[in-house]
Amino acid sequence: MVRFSSKPVEPEGTGDLGSDQESVDSTTLTEANGGAGPANTATPEDPEDQDSSPAPIWTRTDWKICGLLLVASMLLVGLHVRSYESLSPIDELQHIDYVIRAGDFDIPVRNDRVGQEALAEAACRSVDAPGYVGPACGLATYDPNDFQENGFNTAASQFPPYYVTTGVGARLLTAVGLFESKVTAARMLGAVWLAAALSVTWYLMACLGLRRRSRAPVIVLLLVTPLTIFHAGATVNADVSLMLTGALATLATVKYEAGRLRWWWIPLVYVGVNLVEATNILAVAACGLYLMVRRTPDAMASLAQRLAPLTILPALLLFRLEVAERLRSRFFPAAQVSGSTDSMGSAPMFVVHRTESVSFEKVIAQLSSTFTPARNPYLSPPLRSQLTIAGLELTNWLLIAPLFSAAVVVVSSARLTWLSRITVVMLLAAGPFYTFYFAYFSNQDFAAPARFALPLVPLMAIAAASAVQRRPTLFAVWGVAALAALNTVFQLLTA
């Protein structure tokens, strides 16, 4: 058994990313030994991981791949930004206002209205929403009531890390003359967030022993989907950070289990990603469940080490319901209002969806709403076509099939099997959880959109890559990825 301590021993047979030698799998050794079995191979300490391949090393090739991911992200996001000047209907106006103000270290609070700079951008760009008619472009001042949600900044309930980072970056890019608009600069910075998320996921896959030939097609398939381009890259929204923070939470968990991260990093990382965006509760919950199933049954660990993972989920809920709200009230108190119409609660989105009870029928109906997030993303006009929809269907099934295979059929290692199983559970639970949460704690009847599962996308990629091993499967994923990429680039170039 693996002996867990404050710094547990990593099982033998798991390669060190700092190694200077290429890993060799058991199949190669068997063939070299005349089919008689591996010669002089180390036996893993954990019997359930005996059939897992050693982790590939991290070389210059991997750094070059990360560079290519940045270039590809910049290209796809840049093409989308060029062809999509209007604002996203998914509250991009409010997020733009937050980013612009955070760039000047002026953090908006609840009950604040959108500022004039963001309103001017919305007036001149318009909003990609059916029936939307905004004020004329070029006015000296704008009335916030003439815009979405009566001009309330509905994003002000978010913590500022993403907005300050992106806002300061956009301010610098416009100051040096690379972009004329802070909106364009902030959107282009989404490519950096996206490339960072994919690079961390690539590294995470290496830590889990997945080979490059299995990692590559899955990463490319995700990169060219509308979900990734629009929600995780090309618009101004805190959702852009979710794939990166989800990958970082998972990486910290895997590193801790392997004995390469001290225990106190775990609560710091989990709290940190939740302060970036509250939706990261899904990624942290998945990591907590993983540590529970991996460490709690370990008879070789101390009682404290076995019980510690059981505290993660209760602590997570306590932080989300109590601590986070107290931190927000302490550091970012709501603006004082003189009447109910001056309160953010009077915004149409909150009035229309107000409810006084929980409908468990609606809760259960959300079982598939975030499974998988690639299935039903918002399609911006440059990406709307039957070919895109067909590509989405193929992408969705090519993610679902390996995901279930890794969770049920394919058993390459205990780590990957449990990560896959927990990913399936969390993807199914996310929709009902959020629908119940909104209704019970906020009296809001909101259905959970598929993009809420963005923090789980790195886990989906890991599960899919662990099952994409044979040549026919590799060819199928590469084929769909290539067709989706050609269609996406063609549509963005011709939009």
Side-chain angles (χ1 to χ4, degrees), residues 126-187:
S126 189
V127 177
D128 177 27
Y132 175 82
V133 179
C137 176
L139 300 182
T141 59
Y142 292 94
D143 183 355
N145 288 294
D146 294 334
F147 294 83
Q148 285 177 305
E149 310 306 337
N150 294 339
F152 284 103
N153 191 323
T154 54
S157 57
Q158 304 265 28
F159 283 100
Y162 159 78
Y163 299 96
V164 171
T165 303
T166 304
V168 171
R171 183 181 177 185
L172 292 174
L173 290 175
T174 53
V176 299
L178 285 179
F179 301 99
E180 294 182 359
S181 166
K182 291 179 183 177
V183 174
T184 303
R187 283 178 163 183

Short mmCIF file of all heavy atoms in Angstrom, two decimals, residues 126-187:
data_model
loop_
_atom_site.label_atom_id
_atom_site.label_comp_id
_atom_site.label_asym_id
_atom_site.label_seq_id
_atom_site.Cartn_x
_atom_site.Cartn_y
_atom_site.Cartn_z
N SER A 126 -23.35 47.75 -29.60
CA SER A 126 -24.65 47.09 -29.44
C SER A 126 -24.45 45.78 -28.68
O SER A 126 -23.33 45.42 -28.31
CB SER A 126 -25.32 46.81 -30.79
OG SER A 126 -26.65 46.37 -30.57
N VAL A 127 -25.56 45.10 -28.42
CA VAL A 127 -25.53 43.86 -27.65
C VAL A 127 -26.18 42.76 -28.48
O VAL A 127 -27.24 42.96 -29.08
CB VAL A 127 -26.27 44.01 -26.30
CG1 VAL A 127 -26.30 42.69 -25.54
CG2 VAL A 127 -25.60 45.09 -25.45
N ASP A 128 -25.55 41.62 -28.53
CA ASP A 128 -26.01 40.48 -29.33
C ASP A 128 -27.18 39.79 -28.64
O ASP A 128 -27.07 38.68 -28.14
CB ASP A 128 -24.84 39.51 -29.55
CG ASP A 128 -25.25 38.27 -30.31
OD1 ASP A 128 -26.21 38.33 -31.09
OD2 ASP A 128 -24.60 37.22 -30.10
N ALA A 129 -28.32 40.48 -28.61
CA ALA A 129 -29.52 39.93 -27.96
C ALA A 129 -30.74 40.25 -28.82
O ALA A 129 -30.86 41.39 -29.32
CB ALA A 129 -29.69 40.52 -26.57
N PRO A 130 -31.63 39.29 -29.04
CA PRO A 130 -32.82 39.53 -29.87
C PRO A 130 -33.66 40.68 -29.33
O PRO A 130 -33.96 40.76 -28.15
CB PRO A 130 -33.58 38.20 -29.77
CG PRO A 130 -32.56 37.19 -29.40
CD PRO A 130 -31.57 37.91 -28.53
N GLY A 131 -34.01 41.60 -30.20
CA GLY A 131 -34.87 42.70 -29.81
C GLY A 131 -34.18 43.83 -29.08
O GLY A 131 -34.84 44.80 -28.71
N TYR A 132 -32.89 43.73 -28.87
CA TYR A 132 -32.20 44.79 -28.12
C TYR A 132 -32.04 46.03 -28.99
O TYR A 132 -31.55 45.97 -30.12
CB TYR A 132 -30.82 44.31 -27.66
CG TYR A 132 -30.01 45.41 -26.99
CD1 TYR A 132 -30.21 45.73 -25.66
CD2 TYR A 132 -29.06 46.14 -27.71
CE1 TYR A 132 -29.49 46.74 -25.04
CE2 TYR A 132 -28.32 47.14 -27.10
CZ TYR A 132 -28.54 47.44 -25.77
OH TYR A 132 -27.82 48.44 -25.17
N VAL A 133 -32.46 47.16 -28.47
CA VAL A 133 -32.27 48.46 -29.12
C VAL A 133 -31.69 49.40 -28.08
O VAL A 133 -32.37 49.74 -27.10
CB VAL A 133 -33.58 49.02 -29.69
CG1 VAL A 133 -33.33 50.39 -30.33
CG2 VAL A 133 -34.19 48.07 -30.71
N GLY A 134 -30.46 49.80 -28.26
CA GLY A 134 -29.81 50.66 -27.29
C GLY A 134 -29.74 52.10 -27.74
O GLY A 134 -30.17 52.44 -28.85
N PRO A 135 -29.19 52.96 -26.92
CA PRO A 135 -29.04 54.37 -27.27
C PRO A 135 -28.07 54.55 -28.44
O PRO A 135 -27.30 53.65 -28.79
CB PRO A 135 -28.48 54.99 -25.99
CG PRO A 135 -28.75 54.01 -24.91
CD PRO A 135 -28.72 52.67 -25.56
N ALA A 136 -28.09 55.72 -29.03
CA ALA A 136 -27.20 56.03 -30.15
C ALA A 136 -25.76 56.12 -29.69
O ALA A 136 -25.46 56.45 -28.53
CB ALA A 136 -27.63 57.34 -30.79
N CYS A 137 -24.85 55.83 -30.59
CA CYS A 137 -23.42 55.92 -30.30
C CYS A 137 -22.98 57.37 -30.32
O CYS A 137 -23.45 58.17 -31.13
CB CYS A 137 -22.64 55.11 -31.34
SG CYS A 137 -20.85 55.20 -31.18
N GLY A 138 -22.07 57.74 -29.44
CA GLY A 138 -21.46 59.06 -29.47
C GLY A 138 -22.09 60.11 -28.59
O GLY A 138 -21.71 61.28 -28.67
N LEU A 139 -23.03 59.73 -27.72
CA LEU A 139 -23.63 60.70 -26.82
C LEU A 139 -22.63 61.10 -25.74
O LEU A 139 -21.73 60.34 -25.39
CB LEU A 139 -24.89 60.13 -26.17
CG LEU A 139 -26.03 59.71 -27.11
CD1 LEU A 139 -27.22 59.20 -26.28
CD2 LEU A 139 -26.46 60.87 -28.00
N ALA A 140 -22.82 62.29 -25.19
CA ALA A 140 -21.92 62.78 -24.15
C ALA A 140 -22.06 61.97 -22.87
O ALA A 140 -21.07 61.64 -22.21
CB ALA A 140 -22.18 64.26 -23.87
N THR A 141 -23.29 61.65 -22.50
CA THR A 141 -23.56 60.82 -21.31
C THR A 141 -24.69 59.85 -21.63
O THR A 141 -25.48 60.08 -22.56
CB THR A 141 -23.97 61.69 -20.10
OG1 THR A 141 -25.14 62.44 -20.44
CG2 THR A 141 -22.83 62.61 -19.69
N TYR A 142 -24.75 58.81 -20.83
CA TYR A 142 -25.76 57.78 -21.03
C TYR A 142 -26.49 57.52 -19.72
O TYR A 142 -25.90 57.61 -18.63
CB TYR A 142 -25.12 56.48 -21.52
CG TYR A 142 -24.56 56.57 -22.92
CD1 TYR A 142 -23.21 56.88 -23.12
CD2 TYR A 142 -25.37 56.35 -24.02
CE1 TYR A 142 -22.69 56.97 -24.40
CE2 TYR A 142 -24.85 56.43 -25.31
CZ TYR A 142 -23.52 56.75 -25.49
OH TYR A 142 -23.01 56.84 -26.76
N ASP A 143 -27.78 57.19 -19.86
CA ASP A 143 -28.60 56.83 -18.70
C ASP A 143 -28.52 55.32 -18.52
O ASP A 143 -28.91 54.57 -19.43
CB ASP A 143 -30.05 57.25 -18.93
CG ASP A 143 -30.94 56.96 -17.73
OD1 ASP A 143 -30.45 56.34 -16.75
OD2 ASP A 143 -32.13 57.33 -17.77
N PRO A 144 -28.01 54.83 -17.39
CA PRO A 144 -27.90 53.37 -17.19
C PRO A 144 -29.22 52.63 -17.37
O PRO A 144 -29.22 51.46 -17.76
CB PRO A 144 -27.39 53.25 -15.75
CG PRO A 144 -26.69 54.56 -15.49
CD PRO A 144 -27.46 55.58 -16.26
N ASN A 145 -30.35 53.29 -17.11
CA ASN A 145 -31.64 52.63 -17.24
C ASN A 145 -31.98 52.24 -18.67
O ASN A 145 -32.89 51.44 -18.89
CB ASN A 145 -32.74 53.55 -16.69
CG ASN A 145 -32.69 53.65 -15.18
OD1 ASN A 145 -32.93 52.68 -14.46
ND2 ASN A 145 -32.35 54.83 -14.68
N ASP A 146 -31.25 52.78 -19.64
CA ASP A 146 -31.49 52.45 -21.04
C ASP A 146 -30.76 51.19 -21.48
O ASP A 146 -30.84 50.82 -22.67
CB ASP A 146 -31.05 53.62 -21.93
CG ASP A 146 -31.90 54.86 -21.72
OD1 ASP A 146 -33.07 54.71 -21.30
OD2 ASP A 146 -31.38 55.97 -21.95
N PHE A 147 -30.08 50.52 -20.55
CA PHE A 147 -29.29 49.35 -20.91
C PHE A 147 -29.79 48.11 -20.17
O PHE A 147 -30.74 48.17 -19.39
CB PHE A 147 -27.81 49.61 -20.58
CG PHE A 147 -27.20 50.70 -21.43
CD1 PHE A 147 -27.36 52.04 -21.09
CD2 PHE A 147 -26.47 50.38 -22.56
CE1 PHE A 147 -26.80 53.04 -21.86
CE2 PHE A 147 -25.90 51.38 -23.34
CZ PHE A 147 -26.07 52.71 -22.99
N GLN A 148 -29.14 46.99 -20.46
CA GLN A 148 -29.50 45.71 -19.82
C GLN A 148 -29.55 45.84 -18.31
O GLN A 148 -28.72 46.52 -17.70
CB GLN A 148 -28.47 44.62 -20.18
CG GLN A 148 -28.56 44.07 -21.59
CD GLN A 148 -27.45 43.07 -21.84
OE1 GLN A 148 -26.28 43.38 -21.66
NE2 GLN A 148 -27.81 41.87 -22.23
N GLU A 149 -30.50 45.15 -17.71
CA GLU A 149 -30.66 45.08 -16.25
C GLU A 149 -30.71 46.47 -15.62
O GLU A 149 -30.22 46.66 -14.49
CB GLU A 149 -29.53 44.25 -15.63
CG GLU A 149 -29.30 42.91 -16.28
CD GLU A 149 -30.55 42.05 -16.37
OE1 GLU A 149 -31.48 42.26 -15.58
OE2 GLU A 149 -30.62 41.18 -17.25
N ASN A 150 -31.30 47.43 -16.35
CA ASN A 150 -31.42 48.81 -15.87
C ASN A 150 -30.07 49.41 -15.47
O ASN A 150 -30.00 50.31 -14.63
CB ASN A 150 -32.38 48.89 -14.68
CG ASN A 150 -33.81 48.56 -15.08
OD1 ASN A 150 -34.17 48.65 -16.25
ND2 ASN A 150 -34.62 48.17 -14.11
N GLY A 151 -29.02 48.88 -16.09
CA GLY A 151 -27.69 49.44 -15.84
C GLY A 151 -27.02 48.99 -14.57
O GLY A 151 -25.92 49.47 -14.26
N PHE A 152 -27.64 48.07 -13.81
CA PHE A 152 -26.98 47.58 -12.59
C PHE A 152 -25.80 46.68 -12.96
O PHE A 152 -25.87 45.89 -13.92
CB PHE A 152 -27.97 46.79 -11.73
CG PHE A 152 -28.94 47.63 -10.98
CD1 PHE A 152 -30.25 47.77 -11.40
CD2 PHE A 152 -28.53 48.32 -9.84
CE1 PHE A 152 -31.15 48.56 -10.70
CE2 PHE A 152 -29.42 49.11 -9.12
CZ PHE A 152 -30.74 49.24 -9.56
N ASN A 153 -24.74 46.79 -12.20
CA ASN A 153 -23.60 45.90 -12.42
C ASN A 153 -23.84 44.61 -11.65
O ASN A 153 -23.47 44.49 -10.47
CB ASN A 153 -22.28 46.56 -11.97
CG ASN A 153 -21.08 45.76 -12.44
OD1 ASN A 153 -21.11 44.53 -12.47
ND2 ASN A 153 -20.02 46.44 -12.82
N THR A 154 -24.46 43.65 -12.32
CA THR A 154 -24.81 42.37 -11.68
C THR A 154 -23.59 41.50 -11.44
O THR A 154 -23.70 40.46 -10.78
CB THR A 154 -25.82 41.61 -12.55
OG1 THR A 154 -25.29 41.47 -13.89
CG2 THR A 154 -27.14 42.38 -12.63
N ALA A 155 -22.42 41.89 -11.98
CA ALA A 155 -21.18 41.13 -11.73
C ALA A 155 -20.48 41.58 -10.46
O ALA A 155 -19.47 40.99 -10.07
CB ALA A 155 -20.24 41.27 -12.92
N ALA A 156 -21.02 42.61 -9.80
CA ALA A 156 -20.33 43.19 -8.64
C ALA A 156 -20.28 42.26 -7.45
O ALA A 156 -19.51 42.51 -6.51
CB ALA A 156 -21.01 44.51 -8.24
N SER A 157 -21.05 41.18 -7.46
CA SER A 157 -21.01 40.22 -6.35
C SER A 157 -19.80 39.29 -6.44
O SER A 157 -19.55 38.51 -5.53
CB SER A 157 -22.29 39.39 -6.32
OG SER A 157 -22.48 38.71 -7.55
N GLN A 158 -19.05 39.38 -7.55
CA GLN A 158 -17.87 38.54 -7.73
C GLN A 158 -16.67 39.15 -7.01
O GLN A 158 -16.56 40.38 -6.87
CB GLN A 158 -17.53 38.42 -9.22
CG GLN A 158 -18.65 37.90 -10.09
CD GLN A 158 -18.56 36.41 -10.29
OE1 GLN A 158 -18.02 35.69 -9.44
NE2 GLN A 158 -19.08 35.93 -11.40
N PHE A 159 -15.75 38.28 -6.59
CA PHE A 159 -14.49 38.77 -6.05
C PHE A 159 -13.59 39.25 -7.19
O PHE A 159 -13.74 38.81 -8.34
CB PHE A 159 -13.80 37.68 -5.24
CG PHE A 159 -14.39 37.48 -3.87
CD1 PHE A 159 -15.29 36.45 -3.63
CD2 PHE A 159 -14.09 38.34 -2.83
CE1 PHE A 159 -15.85 36.27 -2.36
CE2 PHE A 159 -14.64 38.18 -1.57
CZ PHE A 159 -15.52 37.14 -1.34
N PRO A 160 -12.63 40.14 -6.92
CA PRO A 160 -11.93 40.86 -8.01
C PRO A 160 -10.70 40.23 -8.66
O PRO A 160 -10.16 40.86 -9.58
CB PRO A 160 -11.53 42.18 -7.33
CG PRO A 160 -11.39 41.85 -5.89
CD PRO A 160 -12.41 40.78 -5.61
N PRO A 161 -10.16 39.06 -8.28
CA PRO A 161 -8.89 38.63 -8.88
C PRO A 161 -8.87 38.62 -10.41
O PRO A 161 -7.93 39.17 -11.02
CB PRO A 161 -8.69 37.22 -8.31
CG PRO A 161 -9.36 37.27 -6.98
CD PRO A 161 -10.55 38.15 -7.17
N TYR A 162 -9.87 37.99 -11.04
CA TYR A 162 -9.87 37.95 -12.51
C TYR A 162 -9.97 39.36 -13.09
O TYR A 162 -9.26 39.71 -14.05
CB TYR A 162 -11.05 37.11 -13.03
CG TYR A 162 -11.41 37.42 -14.46
CD1 TYR A 162 -10.66 36.92 -15.51
CD2 TYR A 162 -12.49 38.27 -14.76
CE1 TYR A 162 -10.97 37.24 -16.84
CE2 TYR A 162 -12.80 38.58 -16.08
CZ TYR A 162 -12.05 38.07 -17.11
OH TYR A 162 -12.36 38.40 -18.41
N TYR A 163 -10.82 40.18 -12.52
CA TYR A 163 -11.09 41.51 -13.07
C TYR A 163 -9.90 42.44 -12.91
O TYR A 163 -9.60 43.21 -13.83
CB TYR A 163 -12.34 42.10 -12.39
CG TYR A 163 -13.57 41.27 -12.61
CD1 TYR A 163 -13.98 40.33 -11.66
CD2 TYR A 163 -14.31 41.39 -13.77
CE1 TYR A 163 -15.10 39.55 -11.86
CE2 TYR A 163 -15.44 40.61 -13.98
CZ TYR A 163 -15.84 39.69 -13.02
OH TYR A 163 -16.94 38.92 -13.23
N VAL A 164 -9.23 42.38 -11.78
CA VAL A 164 -8.04 43.23 -11.59
C VAL A 164 -6.93 42.79 -12.54
O VAL A 164 -6.30 43.63 -13.20
CB VAL A 164 -7.56 43.16 -10.12
CG1 VAL A 164 -6.21 43.86 -9.97
CG2 VAL A 164 -8.59 43.79 -9.19
N THR A 165 -6.70 41.48 -12.63
CA THR A 165 -5.65 40.98 -13.53
C THR A 165 -5.91 41.39 -14.97
O THR A 165 -5.04 41.93 -15.66
CB THR A 165 -5.57 39.45 -13.43
OG1 THR A 165 -5.33 39.06 -12.08
CG2 THR A 165 -4.45 38.91 -14.31
N THR A 166 -7.13 41.13 -15.43
CA THR A 166 -7.48 41.46 -16.82
C THR A 166 -7.56 42.97 -17.02
O THR A 166 -7.13 43.50 -18.06
CB THR A 166 -8.81 40.80 -17.20
OG1 THR A 166 -8.72 39.39 -16.98
CG2 THR A 166 -9.15 41.05 -18.65
N GLY A 167 -8.10 43.69 -16.04
CA GLY A 167 -8.24 45.14 -16.16
C GLY A 167 -6.92 45.85 -16.24
O GLY A 167 -6.72 46.76 -17.07
N VAL A 168 -5.99 45.47 -15.37
CA VAL A 168 -4.66 46.09 -15.40
C VAL A 168 -3.96 45.75 -16.72
O VAL A 168 -3.32 46.61 -17.35
CB VAL A 168 -3.82 45.63 -14.19
CG1 VAL A 168 -2.37 46.09 -14.34
CG2 VAL A 168 -4.42 46.18 -12.90
N GLY A 169 -4.08 44.50 -17.15
CA GLY A 169 -3.48 44.10 -18.43
C GLY A 169 -4.05 44.88 -19.60
O GLY A 169 -3.31 45.34 -20.48
N ALA A 170 -5.38 45.02 -19.63
CA ALA A 170 -6.02 45.77 -20.72
C ALA A 170 -5.62 47.23 -20.69
O ALA A 170 -5.40 47.85 -21.75
CB ALA A 170 -7.54 45.64 -20.60
N ARG A 171 -5.50 47.78 -19.51
CA ARG A 171 -5.08 49.18 -19.39
C ARG A 171 -3.67 49.38 -19.93
O ARG A 171 -3.39 50.36 -20.64
CB ARG A 171 -5.15 49.59 -17.92
CG ARG A 171 -4.81 51.05 -17.65
CD ARG A 171 -4.88 51.34 -16.17
NE ARG A 171 -4.51 52.72 -15.88
CZ ARG A 171 -4.40 53.21 -14.65
NH1 ARG A 171 -4.65 52.43 -13.60
NH2 ARG A 171 -4.04 54.46 -14.47
N LEU A 172 -2.76 48.44 -19.63
CA LEU A 172 -1.39 48.54 -20.12
C LEU A 172 -1.33 48.37 -21.63
O LEU A 172 -0.59 49.10 -22.31
CB LEU A 172 -0.51 47.49 -19.44
CG LEU A 172 -0.26 47.69 -17.94
CD1 LEU A 172 0.50 46.50 -17.37
CD2 LEU A 172 0.51 48.98 -17.69
N LEU A 173 -2.10 47.43 -22.17
CA LEU A 173 -2.08 47.19 -23.61
C LEU A 173 -2.60 48.38 -24.39
O LEU A 173 -2.10 48.69 -25.49
CB LEU A 173 -2.90 45.94 -23.94
CG LEU A 173 -2.31 44.60 -23.48
CD1 LEU A 173 -3.27 43.46 -23.75
CD2 LEU A 173 -0.97 44.33 -24.17
N THR A 174 -3.61 49.05 -23.86
CA THR A 174 -4.10 50.24 -24.54
C THR A 174 -3.16 51.43 -24.34
O THR A 174 -3.02 52.27 -25.24
CB THR A 174 -5.51 50.61 -24.03
OG1 THR A 174 -5.51 50.70 -22.59
CG2 THR A 174 -6.52 49.56 -24.44
N ALA A 175 -2.50 51.49 -23.20
CA ALA A 175 -1.58 52.60 -22.94
C ALA A 175 -0.38 52.58 -23.89
O ALA A 175 0.11 53.63 -24.32
CB ALA A 175 -1.10 52.55 -21.49
N VAL A 176 0.08 51.37 -24.25
CA VAL A 176 1.23 51.27 -25.15
C VAL A 176 0.82 51.29 -26.62
O VAL A 176 1.66 51.22 -27.51
CB VAL A 176 2.06 50.00 -24.86
CG1 VAL A 176 2.61 50.03 -23.45
CG2 VAL A 176 1.24 48.73 -25.10
N GLY A 177 -0.50 51.36 -26.87
CA GLY A 177 -0.98 51.51 -28.23
C GLY A 177 -1.26 50.24 -29.00
O GLY A 177 -1.53 50.30 -30.21
N LEU A 178 -1.22 49.08 -28.35
CA LEU A 178 -1.51 47.84 -29.07
C LEU A 178 -2.98 47.75 -29.45
O LEU A 178 -3.33 47.17 -30.48
CB LEU A 178 -1.11 46.63 -28.22
CG LEU A 178 0.39 46.34 -28.11
CD1 LEU A 178 0.63 45.13 -27.22
CD2 LEU A 178 0.98 46.10 -29.50
N PHE A 179 -3.85 48.28 -28.60
CA PHE A 179 -5.29 48.29 -28.88
C PHE A 179 -5.85 49.67 -28.53
O PHE A 179 -5.35 50.35 -27.63
CB PHE A 179 -6.01 47.21 -28.05
CG PHE A 179 -5.53 45.82 -28.30
CD1 PHE A 179 -4.63 45.21 -27.43
CD2 PHE A 179 -5.94 45.11 -29.41
CE1 PHE A 179 -4.18 43.93 -27.65
CE2 PHE A 179 -5.49 43.82 -29.65
CZ PHE A 179 -4.60 43.23 -28.77
N GLU A 180 -6.88 50.07 -29.26
CA GLU A 180 -7.53 51.34 -28.98
C GLU A 180 -8.58 51.21 -27.90
O GLU A 180 -8.87 52.17 -27.19
CB GLU A 180 -8.15 51.89 -30.26
CG GLU A 180 -7.14 52.27 -31.32
CD GLU A 180 -7.80 52.87 -32.55
OE1 GLU A 180 -9.05 52.96 -32.55
OE2 GLU A 180 -7.09 53.25 -33.49
N SER A 181 -9.18 50.02 -27.80
CA SER A 181 -10.27 49.80 -26.86
C SER A 181 -9.86 48.84 -25.76
O SER A 181 -9.23 47.81 -26.02
CB SER A 181 -11.49 49.23 -27.61
OG SER A 181 -12.45 48.72 -26.71
N LYS A 182 -10.22 49.18 -24.53
CA LYS A 182 -9.96 48.27 -23.42
C LYS A 182 -10.77 46.98 -23.55
O LYS A 182 -10.35 45.93 -23.06
CB LYS A 182 -10.27 48.95 -22.09
CG LYS A 182 -9.32 50.09 -21.73
CD LYS A 182 -9.72 50.74 -20.42
CE LYS A 182 -8.81 51.93 -20.11
NZ LYS A 182 -9.24 52.62 -18.87
N VAL A 183 -11.93 47.06 -24.20
CA VAL A 183 -12.75 45.87 -24.41
C VAL A 183 -12.01 44.88 -25.32
O VAL A 183 -11.91 43.69 -25.03
CB VAL A 183 -14.12 46.23 -25.01
CG1 VAL A 183 -14.91 44.97 -25.35
CG2 VAL A 183 -14.90 47.10 -24.03
N THR A 184 -11.48 45.39 -26.42
CA THR A 184 -10.72 44.52 -27.34
C THR A 184 -9.50 43.95 -26.64
O THR A 184 -9.19 42.75 -26.78
CB THR A 184 -10.29 45.32 -28.58
OG1 THR A 184 -11.45 45.86 -29.22
CG2 THR A 184 -9.55 44.43 -29.56
N ALA A 185 -8.80 44.77 -25.87
CA ALA A 185 -7.61 44.29 -25.15
C ALA A 185 -7.99 43.21 -24.14
O ALA A 185 -7.30 42.19 -24.03
CB ALA A 185 -6.93 45.46 -24.45
N ALA A 186 -9.08 43.43 -23.40
CA ALA A 186 -9.50 42.45 -22.40
C ALA A 186 -9.92 41.15 -23.06
O ALA A 186 -9.64 40.05 -22.54
CB ALA A 186 -10.65 43.02 -21.57
N ARG A 187 -10.59 41.26 -24.20
CA ARG A 187 -10.98 40.04 -24.92
C ARG A 187 -9.75 39.27 -25.40
O ARG A 187 -9.71 38.04 -25.31
CB ARG A 187 -11.87 40.40 -26.11
CG ARG A 187 -13.31 40.74 -25.72
CD ARG A 187 -14.11 41.13 -26.95
NE ARG A 187 -15.55 41.09 -26.70
CZ ARG A 187 -16.48 41.32 -27.62
NH1 ARG A 187 -16.10 41.62 -28.87
NH2 ARG A 187 -17.76 41.25 -27.32
#
